[in-house]
Structures are given as structure tokens and as C-alpha cells.
Amino acid sequence: MRKFIFLSFTFLSFLVQAQQDSSKMAWFGDAKLGIFIHWGIYAVNGTSESWAFHNKQVPYDKYMQQINGFKAQNYDPQYWANLIKLSGARYAVITSKHHDGVALWNTKMNNLSIPKKSPAKRDVLTPFTQELKANGIKLGIYYSLIDWSHPNYPGFLKDSARYTVQTDTLRWNTFRKFYQGQIQELNTAYQPDLFWFDGDWEHSAAEWQAAKVRQMILDKNPKAIINGRLQGYGDYATPEQNFPISRPSTPYWELCLTSNDNWGFRFIDSNFKTPYEIISIFADCISNGGNLLLDIGPKADGTIPKEQVHILTELGKWNKKHEEAIFASIPGLPPQHFYGPSTMSKDSLTLYLFVSSTNSQQAVIRGLDNKILSAEVLGSNRYIPAKVVGKISWSHVPGLVYFTIPQELNDPYITVLKIKLDKPLKLYSGKGGFD
Ligand code: GLC
């Protein structure tokens, strides 16, 4: 009996927890776009972020010397926040500390930080968090669990380690206190809306004490969202770099994507994605119920590469024009009904079709068991006809609906058709013809 009471109590508290979770996730589900920022000492010489020494492309000491060149002399957090706002993003995630262990804020847990060790001589994280809050942009803090610089962290270079957790539990405990202390600092100082952990793959949930870390965050900051890199203790999935062929099975997910080939600034990397490529990937994400976390890598002086400013500006124009089709939408038609991304209003009365301007000006919906009240090319105030093809008058099987978008109404990237329905979306998925 006792056991039963205990079990039901645990089950109930799990349910309560799950309910809290879904309500705290609401803003994230509606946000759709976040901007990821990788800023660290790696931008000084343009090495790859942390991996450069871990993978032995650069000796550790040489890598760390980059800290002497981190001046942040042109850093303008207000400009950063304004640019993020202009892009249409509803949240931003900034690297408070990458795998190299260098903290952007004035951590009390050790001395390896920008304020203590670099010529910038100041906390460069706090002013940005303040600007985000002032602009109504949600704050996400990236924190690397891995710390290859810490003398008590086991891992170091790709083929050498300081020790193993199994052979020196005491030393691992010391590290654990350190990293959990840093998370406490961040949680207390910034109360982030979201924690974006990274590097959980180096240790198990038990080794990290992932359950405890989650609880510790939520105790102080109950609405904090935690990304899926905490060994099973996060709130959403984080596929990386390319659009997954089928959507992740978790209710919430976010694709993180570089705007060129690297997360941080690199002189040698000019392989930028075009605004069209980014917008089409973004449309795929929201059509599949996910978010896009698009990365920029500011230079060591604090300026944002002009190519990334261009991408964010173009994305912002497109988002502004098509705002109602994007933010607070839900996924639209399944692929059998429409070849392309689509979203829908939450009441299922309005469909939004994303039609790539570079490929075609034609759009077709199959199996739509609704009457179309109107079809508008979003942002143009112009309506176009919906031509129903193959509908047999005495059969209940719907015809195919064709739309032709006049050339002059095409968006330079992706045109959005706004289709008002007579009743909530109803799809027919049976045989064709006179069935
Ligand atoms: C990977 C990389 C890391 C990067 C992160 C961003 O985990 O290890 O360098 O910061 O992806 O998603």
C-alpha cells in the first residue's frame, strides 16, 4: 500500500511537471526564429571554435594566446539586439562559454574569463542580455558542459585525457562542483528564458548529475526551457546543420544552422548561404512544427560580418511581409496534399502556402475538402482565383485546386499564398475520381 501511495504520488508529480512544461513551452512554439551567437577568443585568429586545439590543428598555448587579441573595441550590444529584432527573431542564444572554457561573464568560479584575462577587460555578456530584455527578445544562454581547459576536466586533446571519471571520482566531483556553480551563477544573474547546453555526449546523465542540474535550474527559474543536450533531461530536440528528412518525434524541436560553414568567425570561411536558401530552410522548419536557430559569428572587435548583416536584414524583410503566416502558426498540409512547406492559423481556418519564386508560380492543393473563400498573395493586397480541376459534380471527392501567381506579385525569395477556408481544414485522403 505504502508503495502504491508513493508510486501514485510520483506519477502525479510527474503529471504536474509535464503540465508545467507544456505551458512554459508556449512562447518557444510560437517564436519560430532564434539567432545563435558564437563569440569567443577563436575569432581573433579565426580558428575553429575550441575544436582547433582539441583536434590538434593549433597547439593549445597558441590557441589560448588569442585571448590577448580579444579587445571587443567596437562591440555595440544595442546594435546586436536591434539587428536581431530586425531579423524578426523572437529569441537569441549566446555562447557564455564554449568548450575552450573561456567565460564571457565575470565568473567567480575561476579566472578564465574575458573580464579577467583579455584586453577587453569587461564582462561582455551582461550588456547584451540587458539589450535583449529591453527589446522584448527572449534570452537563451549557451553553456558548454565540456571544459577542455579546466585542470579537473578529464578530456583535453582528441587523443589524450587528464584522467578518467572511474579512476578519480574525487577529482571529477571537484569539476562537477565547478561547472554546476557556473550554471548557478548564470541562472541567478540572468534568469535566462532558455539554457542551451552542449557537449553532453562526453559523459552520462549520472556522471553529469543531469537530473540535479535540471532541478537546480527550475528551482530558481521554473519557466526556464532546457535544450535537448542534457543527456535526456532537456525539453526539446536540437538537430544540427541540415534539415532532417522527417521531423523529430519530440513535440518541440529546433534546427541549429550556421550561416556559412562555421559557428564562430573565420577569415577563411566565405561559404555563406544565400537569403533564399536560409528562408527556404526556415519555411521547412515551421512547416514541420520546428524552430530555426540561425547562427552568426561576430569578429573579435565585436562587429558582425557584413554578409551576416545582409542575411539577417533580408530575412527580416521577408518575415515582416509574411508575419501572420510564420509566427504563432501551426504546421499546414501534409506533403501528399501540397508539394512544399505550408502553415496554418491556430483555428485551422487559414492556410498559408509557401511557393518558391525561383521554381514556379504555380501551386496545387490536393484532397482539400473545403470551399475556398479567398486566395491572397500575402503582402500585396491582391487576390487571385482558385481554379478547381477534376471535380465531379455528383461525387464527394474534392478536385485539385490550382493557383497561378502573376509574375509581378512574386516575392524575391518565397511567395506566400493566404487561403481562407469556409470551415476548419478538412482533408480527404481516399481514392480519386467518382468514388
Ligand atoms: C556542436 C559543436 C559546437 C557548436 C555546437 C552548436 O556541438 O561541438 O562547437 O557550438 O555544435 O550547435
Side-chain angles (χ1 to χ4, degrees), residues 226-277:
I226 299 170
N227 78 328
R229 298 191 186 177
L230 189 58
Q231 287 289 12
Y233 287 84
D235 297 307
Y236 68 89
T238 56
E240 181 164 327
Q241 285 298 26
N242 48 56
F243 186 81
I245 301 305
S246 48
R247 59 157 292 167
S249 56
T250 48
Y252 294 94
W253 66 275
E254 170 201 69
L255 171 71
C256 53
L257 182 81
T258 50
S259 45
N260 45 358
D261 288 339
N262 288 269
W263 297 103
F265 173 74
R266 297 201 69 179
F267 294 98
I268 57 159
D269 186 354
S270 56
N271 194 20
F272 288 95
K273 297 171 182 72
T274 64
Y276 169 74
E277 285 157 0

Side-chain angles (χ1 to χ4, degrees), residues 36 38 49-51 95 98-99 142 146 148 196 198-199 201 229 240 256 263:
F36 212 174
H38 275 70
E49 77 293 339
S50 310
W51 293 98
T95 49
H98 205 263
H99 315 331
Y142 168 108
I146 294 175
W148 289 322
W196 214 102
D198 197 18
W201 60 81
R229 298 191 186 177
E240 181 164 327
C256 53
W263 297 103

Side-chain angles (χ1 to χ4, degrees), residues 315-340:
L315 186 56
K317 282 189 219 157
W318 188 81
N319 279 331
K320 193 156 186 224
K321 179 170 168 192
H322 304 113
E323 191 158 10
E324 63 171 88
I326 302 161
F327 302 99
S329 69
I330 55 175
L333 297 169
Q336 297 87 339
H337 291 265
F338 177 63
Y339 291 148

